[in-house]
Amino acid sequence: MNIYSRTNKGFTLIELLVVIAIIGILSSVVLASLNTARVKARDARRMADLHSLELAIALYYDSNNGTFPNNDNTRAGDWSAAYKTQLAPYISQPPLDPLANNGGRYYGSYRMTWAPDANCNGQYVLWAYIEGTNTGANTCGFGGPHYFRVLGQY
């Protein structure tokens, strides 16, 4: 009889540890990819939300002799009642940030007077704070995680 033959059919501890380590590495790679995809999806939603709000404000502008709605933002968790009333005929509910304003992310709608980029001053703008990299979007000179839509002169 051979003294090196195995009578038990099964895995050794080393083999099991190697398999568990490989599964752990693969799962961490997948989770990192999913998190990146979630960030991109939320940023795409923010940009789509601003576009919807832009259309509602354009309708308001046309119906109100070329005036824009009041300045407002969602920093407190929601748009003000007055702002919602102004836009009610054009949009059922103005959009809110997908993260519910966590991490200081919110939407804004303003007559811009303080932008570092002089081309944005004197303009009515919409903005959102984004999570991903801002590649080529208008930031009105603020840079970083800002995304602006310039609607027109007020």
Side-chain angles (χ1 to χ4, degrees), residues 2 8-10 17 28 38 42 45 47 53-54 57 64 77 82-83 88 91 114-115 129 138 142 144 148:
N2 187 355
N8 292 340
K9 301 219 184 226
L17 289 175
S28 66
R38 285 184 190 132
R42 284 192 298 264
R45 169 138 179 241
M47 291 174 196
L53 190 57
E54 178 181 3
I57 290 172
N64 290 279
Y83 189 80
I91 191 169
W114 66 93
Y129 291 99
N138 184 4
F142 289 100
F148 281 83

Side-chain angles (χ1 to χ4, degrees), residues 119-138:
N119 294 325
C120 288
N121 289 329
Q123 304 287 330
Y124 192 84
V125 300
L126 300 175
W127 83 84
Y129 291 99
I130 61 174
E131 293 175 78
T133 305
N134 194 350
T135 55
N138 184 4

Side-chain angles (χ1 to χ4, degrees), residues 82-140:
Y83 189 80
K84 287 195 236 183
T85 301
Q86 285 180 309
L87 294 180
Y90 315 106
I91 191 169
S92 59
Q93 171 66 35
L96 296 174
D97 189 85
L99 287 179
N101 301 335
N102 289 338
R105 299 190 185 288
Y106 58 91
Y107 296 150
S109 172
Y110 275 97
R111 291 166 178 82
M112 183 60 72
T113 58
W114 66 93
D117 181 354
N119 294 325
C120 288
N121 289 329
Q123 304 287 330
Y124 192 84
V125 300
L126 300 175
W127 83 84
Y129 291 99
I130 61 174
E131 293 175 78
T133 305
N134 194 350
T135 55
N138 184 4
T139 64
C140 284

Side-chain angles (χ1 to χ4, degrees), residues 66-83:
T67 59
F68 287 104
N70 296 336
N71 292 348
D72 202 8
N73 65 58
T74 62
R75 181 177 281 172
D78 199 0
W79 299 97
S80 69
Y83 189 80

